[in-house]
Amino acid sequence: MFKSFEWSYHTDRHQYYNDFSTRNDLYAKKQNNMCGIVGYVGRRDACPILIKGLHRLEYRGYDSAGVALVNPDGRLNVFKCKGKVSDLEHFLDGKDLGGNIGIAHTRWATHGVPNDANAHPHYSESENIALIHNGIIENYRVLKDALEQNGYTFRSSTDSEVLVNLIEYVRATSGCSLPEAVRQALRQVIGAYAIAVVEKGNHDRIVAARQSSPMVVGVGDGEFFLSSDAASIIEYTEDFVYVGDGEIAVIDRNAPLKIVTLDNHDAKIDIKKLQLSISQLEKGGYPHFMLKEIYEQPRTIVDCIRGRINPDTCEVKLSGVIDHRDRFVNARRIIFVACGTSWHASLIGEHLVESICRIPVEVEYASEFRYRNPIIREDDIVVAVSQSGETADTLAAVELARKAGAFVFGICNVVGSSIARATDSGAYIHVGPEIGVASTKAFTGQVTVMAMLALAVGRERGTVTEAYYNEVSAALLHLPETMEEVLKVAPQVADLAKIFTYAHNFIYLGRGYNYPTALEGALKLKEISYIHAEGYPAAEMKHGPIALIDAEMPTVAIATPDHTYEKTASNIEEIKARGGKIIAVIARGDEQVRRSADFVIEVPVIAECLMPIVVSVPLQLLAYYIAVYKGRNVDQPRNLAKSVTVE
Ligand code: F6R
């Protein structure tokens, strides 16, 4: 179970093939957590590094935050409060923040409401140990009862406080070192965790451990960084050690990094290089990450196709496919598993693969797939699609598929993420860190990769004509310019958003390749503006939803040229006839739908199968501007977190 893994990172953006091809048996059992943890030990002041790290991890949860620092004289101070990292910063004003070692946490509540007491770090009973925890201790009740019988009391309603007291109890009763107490305590724990622990009197050492929650140690010169996400500490080092499941890292400023397993065997220290630029993590002058990420799309598409399409021959190559050519050529079925936006991208993948490769495709919500005893055969390919690569349900679906003997291909963004490491092969979308909670550039990157995948496999299977192959790959090569073009609609979309800011409901319609685009447009709007929105295939309207249409129910209709254009135009007429307001996304120069629509957004036209990439841009912008006009927190909408690692 606790095998180490080998995995090659392809951070050289200029190499011809930049995909992943992995073979390992390591995949998380279960993930139940969505908080962010960060740690530092070295020569610098720890607190500013921790706070900056927390800001970068805030996408993982933002209902409370805290830090624990060990002063040079050995005092252990914990400061924490309900609210965002900025609230913590205010709270820290005037406090004793000295120390070159500390741990910090940003929380998305699972056990216990978001309040000061439930915020992390948690002190042990004696206040000699402080712990941060990302995860759920499933057997916390039993452990808590046992500790209570031994005189322990609890200040919070969290499972995490149980763990810190268990560590203290083990240390007190056996007289062992802190790393050994952590190891022995964790052997009694059932659940998921990434933890970091510091203790009073020791300003040199952090003990950290992981089971089914992401954790990485950044290795600097005489200093170490710890985080749930390498991107949050990338400005300090490019050298990272991914802590494996069931491993405990002893991070001591005066010693080389040491990692042991729960069985007390030394684990291999495998340093990986990761190159990301800081500018990718900052807003770069935009008011929100979401807007920045929308505007980044021409560049992210360049990064996504770089080295994969030969500009001279239009040939598409994905090494994750080439290395497993026979699996793809002989696949009897492809099953996409994903959640949310990645599921919408997968629906477009279904159209692409079925039409170009002539392989039957199913698209499953990962959360449903994993619990319904699906039929999975050895000649099936399961494609797991995930921006974060950490989504618990998708990871579990990967595990299920592998157990059933299927070949599992990943389409991920985050390099080194759990899903990337758990799959047999895959392709990164290479769109850079996506920080806005609402996914934008990851969606267009995923569809771009799916189009390349379909072309690469279609050619190997001989199911795509030369002319169509060349048309689509040429369109992919020109996609960055097309994305620049479509972004010019932003001011017009911003004006439209003003008109519709006070709508309570929206309907989004599309057909064919753009039905999933309609679903995705509706999801964007509801996530960040909290306006109720539904996406439908346009022809389904008359089977029920048309009853909702009146002057108060705006419809966003995607009516770009395709083989169902005339039918969509008729569906628009049906809505008009019932007094509905229509915002139509149309091709430049289209006069037919312009006449029936109340408002139009004109977009450039490319190959039909790539139109979702283009059309999604004005829909992202519409959701964005409506949310801004409503005064919503666009980058951190209520109740959401970027990385959904709870079931
Ligand atoms: C929507 C959104 C979510 C994610 C979903 C899957 O804007 O961000 O619906 O798409 O939680 O996340 P990943 O792709 O990381 O598996």
Side-chain angles (χ1 to χ4, degrees):
M1 176 154 87
F2 301 125
K3 270 191 197 163
S4 64
F5 51 87
E6 291 210 343
W7 199 65
S8 54
Y9 292 78
H10 301 274
T11 48
D12 178 359
R13 316 307 304 282
H14 301 287
Q15 65 190 18
Y16 197 81
Y17 306 126
N18 45 4
D19 307 325
F20 55 93
S21 188
T22 61
R23 286 169 196 284
N24 62 70
D25 294 320
L26 184 133
Y27 35 88
K29 290 274 145 293
K30 189 172 188 183
Q31 291 219 343
N32 285 299
N33 48 83
M34 334 195 331
C35 309
I37 66 172
V38 60
Y40 174 76
V41 57
R43 289 181 296 266
R44 312 186 215 197
D45 264 356
C47 197
I49 294 172
L50 297 175
I51 295 294
K52 202 170 207 180
L54 285 186
H55 274 299
R56 297 232 166 96
L57 290 174
E58 219 172 0
Y59 71 87
R60 300 181 66 86
Y62 32 82
D63 60 37
S64 55
V67 292
L69 298 160
V70 188
N71 293 138
D73 63 9
R75 270 176 302 126
L76 171 60
N77 291 323
V78 168
F79 306 108
K80 56 184 185 171
C81 63
K82 181 180 171 197
K84 293 182 181 295
V85 179
S86 50
D87 297 310
L88 175 67
E89 282 182 280
H90 289 128
F91 180 69
L92 292 178
D93 273 350
K95 303 274 191 317
D96 173 9
L97 303 176
N100 313 111
I101 173 170
I103 54 177
H105 188 270
T106 176
R107 179 168 187 251
W108 189 87
T110 52
H111 276 66
V113 295
N115 62 21
D116 294 352
N118 290 337
H120 297 220
H122 291 285
Y123 271 131
S124 61
E125 174 99 352
S126 67
E127 300 197 353
N128 284 339
I129 301 176
L131 167 140
I132 51 176
H133 170 217
N134 170 16
I136 290 179
I137 308 300
E138 288 173 19
N139 60 337
Y140 85 100
R141 194 62 263 171
V142 180
L143 298 171
K144 190 171 183 177
D145 288 349
L147 287 164
E148 278 171 345
Q149 279 161 24
N150 281 282
Y152 277 83
T153 54
F154 293 85
R155 305 166 173 101
S156 76
S157 32
T158 67
D159 50 345
S160 314
E161 195 186 1
V162 175
L163 183 52
V164 70
N165 279 326
L166 181 61
I167 293 168
E168 175 164 286
Y169 175 75
V170 171
R171 186 140 156 72
T173 50
S174 70
C176 63
S177 66
L178 183 66
E180 179 56 16
V182 169
R183 190 182 74 81
Q184 288 185 25
L186 290 178
R187 284 176 65 88
Q188 300 179 48
V189 160
I190 300 169
Y193 51 79
I195 61 162
V197 181
V198 287
E199 67 178 332
K200 194 173 182 171
N202 189 328
H203 52 85
D204 293 322
R205 184 177 60 195
I206 300 172
V207 181
R210 152 196 162 135
Q211 175 68 49
S212 306
S213 288
M215 172 177 279
V216 66
V217 178
V219 182
D221 183 10
E223 57 185 355
F224 292 99
F225 306 83
L226 178 76
S227 182
S228 310
D229 178 351
S232 72
I233 47 176
I234 194 76
E235 68 198 88
Y236 309 110
T237 180
E238 290 182 348
D239 294 330
F240 292 96
V241 175
Y242 287 84
V243 181
D245 265 353
E247 289 182 352
I248 299 157
V250 183
I251 306 165
D252 190 318
R253 108 179 73 206
N254 303 316
L257 179 65
K258 183 176 167 63
I259 299 187
V260 294
T261 64
L262 283 178
D263 300 336
N264 214 7
H265 294 117
D266 283 346
K268 192 167 157 245
I269 308 283
D270 192 6
I271 298 184
K272 307 279 189 195
K273 280 240 176 279
L274 190 64
Q275 286 150 0
L276 275 176
S277 75
I278 298 299
S279 63
Q280 289 177 285
L281 304 172
E282 309 283 357
K283 284 190 199 148
Y286 287 91
H288 299 99
F289 280 110
M290 183 178 175
L291 191 63
K292 176 188 174 224
E293 287 159 7
I294 292 172
Y295 271 93
E296 273 175 350
Q297 290 175 105
R299 187 188 55 71
T300 57
I301 301 280
V302 171
D303 289 344
C304 183
I305 61 179
R306 176 178 289 133
R308 290 165 163 169
I309 307 182
N310 184 321
D312 300 323
T313 61
C314 286
E315 195 187 358
V316 179
K317 294 225 157 137
L318 292 175
S319 61
V321 173
I322 293 168
D323 293 348
H324 305 278
R325 180 189 173 278
D326 291 349
R327 295 293 309 227
F328 280 94
V329 169
N330 301 319
R332 230 184 357 159
R333 181 175 60 151
I334 290 185
I335 307 169
F336 283 88
V337 290
C339 306
T341 289
S342 299
W343 186 80
H344 295 153
S346 301
L347 291 175
I348 299 165
E350 175 181 29
H351 280 244
L352 284 160
V353 171
E354 288 202 336
S355 73
I356 297 176
C357 313
R358 307 308 295 157
I359 301 173
V361 175
E362 285 167 29
V363 182
E364 300 264 6
Y365 283 116
S367 54
E368 290 296 312
F369 181 76
R370 62 183 290 199
Y371 284 118
R372 67 165 179 76
N373 194 15
I375 298 166
I376 309 168
R377 291 174 303 225
E378 289 190 359
D379 51 3
D380 285 336
I381 294 180
V382 171
V383 179
V385 185
S386 174
Q387 185 286 129
S388 63
E390 302 293 346
T391 300
D393 285 319
T394 312
L395 193 53
V398 167
E399 182 177 353
L400 186 70
R402 284 180 57 118
K403 276 198 187 126
F407 179 77
V408 186
F409 187 86
I411 297 179
C412 296
N413 188 32
V414 177
V415 174
S417 55
S418 300
I419 293 172
R421 287 184 288 133
T423 43
D424 296 297
S425 163
Y428 284 120
I429 60 172
H430 285 313
V431 300
E434 191 180 64
I435 294 168
V437 164
S439 191
T440 52
K441 62 179 180 172
F443 174 77
T444 51
Q446 287 165 343
V447 178
T448 303
V449 164
M450 288 169 190
M452 290 189 286
L453 177 73
L455 290 176
V457 175
R459 172 158 279 187
E460 293 297 335
R461 285 172 56 88
T463 47
V464 57
T465 64
E466 199 62 17
Y468 190 66
Y469 181 97
N470 288 337
E471 180 198 334
V472 177
S473 57
L476 280 166
L477 282 168
H478 288 111
L479 195 51
E481 295 114 75
T482 316
M483 296 299 266
E484 291 283 5
E485 264 314 292
V486 70
L487 278 165
K488 291 183 185 157
V489 300
Q492 185 205 346
V493 174
D495 287 346
L496 257 179
K498 271 190 201 132
I499 300 170
F500 288 98
T501 295
Y502 297 102
H504 294 295
N505 298 285
F506 262 87
I507 285 180
Y508 285 68
L509 299 181
R511 296 189 74 149
Y513 279 105
N514 275 321
Y515 160 51
T517 321
L519 295 180
E520 175 59 9
L523 178 64
K524 288 290 86 84
L525 186 70
K526 62 187 136 191
E527 273 182 304
I528 58 169
S529 71
Y530 319 146
I531 293 175
H532 173 244
E534 294 298 334
Y536 289 103
E540 270 299 300
M541 282 301 282
K542 55 184 157 307
H543 299 288
I546 201 161
L548 296 169
I549 296 297
D550 63 17
E552 305 292 310
M553 173 66 92
T555 298
V556 177
I558 304 166
T560 50
D562 58 30
H563 59 285
T564 53
Y565 170 82
E566 288 298 340
K567 296 190 185 308
T568 308
S570 310
N571 299 142
I572 289 172
E573 291 297 343
E574 287 156 15
I575 292 167
K576 267 314 285 174
R578 278 135 189 109
K581 289 264 174 298
I582 303 277
I583 304 166
V585 181
I586 60 169
R588 276 197 193 137
D590 174 345
E591 289 305 324
Q592 181 180 345
V593 172
R594 176 189 292 278
R595 277 195 293 274
S596 16
D598 297 280
F599 304 93
V600 294
I601 303 169
E602 288 184 307
V603 296
V605 173
I606 55 168
E608 180 183 338
C609 66
L610 303 180
M611 280 308 284
I613 302 173
V614 178
V615 170
S616 60
V617 173
L619 304 191
Q620 294 165 352
L621 288 165
L622 184 66
Y624 171 79
Y625 285 115
I626 290 180
V628 168
Y629 296 143
K630 289 184 87 73
R632 304 298 192 215
N633 186 338
V634 172
D635 284 334
Q636 294 173 347
R638 70 183 180 201
N639 305 339
L640 298 179
K642 184 73 184 159
S643 190
V644 183
T645 47
V646 284
E647 282 184 38

